[in-house]
Amino acid sequence: MAAVSLGYDGYSQSLSVPMDVRGRQNSCGDSSSSSGDDSSWSDWEAETDGQVHQVRPPVVKVSAWRKVRSAVQWSPFVQTFRRQRYPWVQLAGHQGNFKLGGERGTILKKLCPKEESCFQLLMKDPLRPFIPSYKGNVTSDDGEKFLVLEDLLGDFRNPAVMDCKLGVRTYLEDELAKAKLKPKLRKDMFEKMLQVDPSAPTAEELRMGGVTKPRYMIWRETISSTASLGFRIEGIRKQDGSSSKDYKTVGSPQQIVDVLRDFVRHHPHALTQYIARLNQLEETLTRSDFFATHELIGTSLLFVHDHNKANIWMIDFAKTHRLPAGVQIDHRSPWCVGNHEDGYLVGMSNLTQLLEQLLVNRDLSQSNPT
């Protein structure tokens, strides 16, 4: 089950500090100079305090900011609004990307044209029941545009939430190629690497005090279960209000099973409903024209349950692209640089198997109590 995708082997020979950036120690970038294409790494940042607008379509007027304690830059991102009296989860992205919708049961997500195009196609696709409903877009009084999306937690009471990133990589091949064209030592990424694993940097990287973005990108995927299992747990919020994003190095099947067991503890219905929903999704994907013609990168499955029900949705399509003309993928074949395989079905299959393993173990323990 856990074999690293072939594409990572293709880059393994060029992960150390390249010759043309050696000696440029003073040119190391830091977090303040991070470019826009580094946004996918924001979920590794430290916790900060956040705020939220209230926006009312169709004539949008932004109210005063409301302070939200312990806003976190990871997915899922939990905010409790007094007016709704239930937790609202930032489905994905960064602090500030989501705002409270004026219409009950909606949220606003900062508009990304590529993601909006995906939603428009998905609303006409067999996958629609597995996608947050797209209700158009609105513009705030400061000119920012937002997607109007269904609040997936609206029908749940004090839900538990888990975000799983699907696929054998969470970056586009173009991102890696561009980063390799003009390599630059990144101090901010070097420091993040040290925080997770002080032994990860090479002697040369330690001497230079930085790593290149390609090196960091590959390292990040291989220390989790992304490269080996085709998915990783991004974050969890439990019903008691506790949250965790400490899954960066959760990579083995047994480690994942342990996390999943804790997530569904005391909610036996959730496990069976999650497995059934994943099987339904897999069958629907075979009939989806959208799935057949797109490369899904950085997308997530959002797991939500309360004391009575459970459900799963596909979210996050900002990096989902239509395949180049003449290119076909099956979402299962090993990724090699240039073939555009995303490993989506690899991740779904492994995730489903681990949930089924958990179910079997639970049934066995119940039938043979000690």
Side-chain angles (χ1 to χ4, degrees):
M1 177 183 287
V4 175
S5 185
L6 296 177
Y8 291 93
D9 292 334
Y11 276 105
S12 61
Q13 298 178 357
S14 59
L15 297 185
S16 59
V17 180
M19 289 297 297
D20 57 349
V21 300
R22 292 176 183 172
R24 288 156 50 185
Q25 192 167 1
N26 293 332
S27 67
C28 287
D30 55 25
S31 58
S32 63
S33 63
S34 299
S35 59
D37 58 359
D38 296 332
S39 61
S40 60
W41 317 119
S42 67
D43 55 342
W44 286 52
E45 300 291 346
E47 296 184 2
T48 61
D49 286 333
Q51 298 171 314
V52 61
H53 285 296
Q54 179 177 345
V55 183
R56 297 181 180 277
V59 178
V60 181
K61 183 177 181 180
V62 181
S63 71
W65 286 90
R66 295 182 180 180
K67 292 185 178 180
V68 182
R69 295 178 59 85
S70 300
V72 292
Q73 290 179 309
W74 57 283
S75 178
F77 162 38
V78 180
Q79 298 182 6
T80 302
F81 294 103
R82 295 175 182 174
R83 185 165 67 84
Q84 271 73 15
R85 297 183 181 177
Y86 62 84
W88 175 80
V89 173
Q90 176 174 329
L91 306 182
H94 324 250
Q95 167 62 23
N97 274 7
F98 285 79
K99 299 182 181 182
L100 180 63
E103 179 185 348
R104 184 175 179 82
T106 64
I107 60 171
L108 304 183
K109 182 179 183 182
K110 189 174 291 185
L111 189 147
C112 166
K114 290 180 180 177
E115 185 167 33
E116 182 174 37
S117 176
C118 289
F119 274 116
Q120 290 169 342
L121 292 173
L122 285 164
M123 292 302 98
K124 305 172 185 176
D125 191 87
L127 285 173
R128 180 171 181 172
F130 298 89
I131 309 295
S133 294
Y134 164 71
K135 303 176 183 296
N137 63 66
V138 295
T139 304
S140 64
D141 61 356
D142 62 2
E144 278 195 296
K145 292 186 176 181
F146 295 85
L147 302 174
V148 183
L149 301 174
E150 172 190 6
D151 179 0
L152 298 177
L153 303 189
D155 292 331
F156 289 85
R157 183 178 180 85
N158 189 29
V161 183
M162 177 174 68
D163 182 304
C164 288
K165 285 288 182 189
L166 266 287
V168 296
R169 54 191 167 92
T170 58
Y171 52 82
L172 296 164
E173 291 186 358
D174 287 349
E175 288 183 88
L176 200 57
K178 289 177 182 178
K180 290 187 69 177
L181 282 177
K182 297 181 179 179
K184 174 183 174 184
L185 288 178
R186 294 287 298 271
K187 181 180 178 181
D188 58 326
M189 293 181 174
F190 173 74
E191 291 175 347
K192 292 177 186 178
M193 182 183 286
L194 281 175
Q195 289 175 1
V196 176
D197 183 2
S199 67
T202 64
E204 180 75 358
E205 290 164 347
L206 287 169
R207 186 180 71 82
M208 301 298 292
V211 297
T212 63
K213 184 177 178 181
R215 156 78 162 132
Y216 178 80
M217 294 164 77
I218 297 295
W219 167 80
R220 179 188 169 172
E221 306 291 56
T222 53
I223 64 170
S224 70
S225 56
T226 290
S228 58
L229 297 179
F231 77 94
R232 71 168 178 254
I233 298 173
E234 197 80 344
I236 288 177
R237 189 265 187 188
K238 297 181 182 178
Q239 285 191 302
D240 62 8
S242 62
S243 302
S244 178
K245 58 177 181 177
D246 190 22
Y247 304 106
K248 303 176 183 67
T249 58
V250 174
S252 73
Q254 186 56 55
Q255 287 176 318
I256 295 171
V257 167
D258 291 342
V259 174
L260 294 174
R261 180 185 297 110
D262 187 59
F263 176 59
V264 299
R265 194 183 305 275
H266 308 308
H267 299 89
H269 65 283
L271 187 54
T272 54
Q273 290 181 30
Y274 282 148
I275 293 171
R277 180 72 164 171
L278 286 171
N279 289 331
Q280 293 167 5
L281 174 57
E282 185 172 14
E283 189 280 327
T284 305
L285 289 171
T286 64
R287 298 184 281 108
S288 169
D289 180 68
F290 180 91
F291 190 64
T293 57
H294 285 75
E295 176 184 1
L296 279 69
I297 301 298
T299 64
S300 290
L301 289 179
L302 189 73
F303 291 69
V304 185
H305 69 259
D306 59 16
H307 288 294
N308 299 311
K309 55 186 178 294
N311 214 333
I312 300 174
W313 289 273
M314 298 172 67
I315 60 171
D316 299 345
F317 300 99
K319 287 189 175 184
T320 294
H321 288 66
R322 183 176 289 276
L323 291 166
V327 175
Q328 292 184 329
I329 63 175
D330 59 19
H331 304 278
R332 289 187 185 275
S333 295
W335 169 59
C336 296
V337 179
N339 72 359
H340 291 276
E341 287 289 350
D342 54 26
Y344 193 93
L345 291 178
V346 174
M348 269 198 61
S349 176
N350 285 330
L351 179 54
T352 303
Q353 287 182 42
L354 293 177
L355 287 169
E356 289 174 340
Q357 175 185 329
L358 184 57
L359 179 62
V360 170
N361 292 343
R362 188 191 71 184
D363 291 345
L364 287 175
S365 64
Q366 290 176 347
S367 61
N368 298 294
T370 55

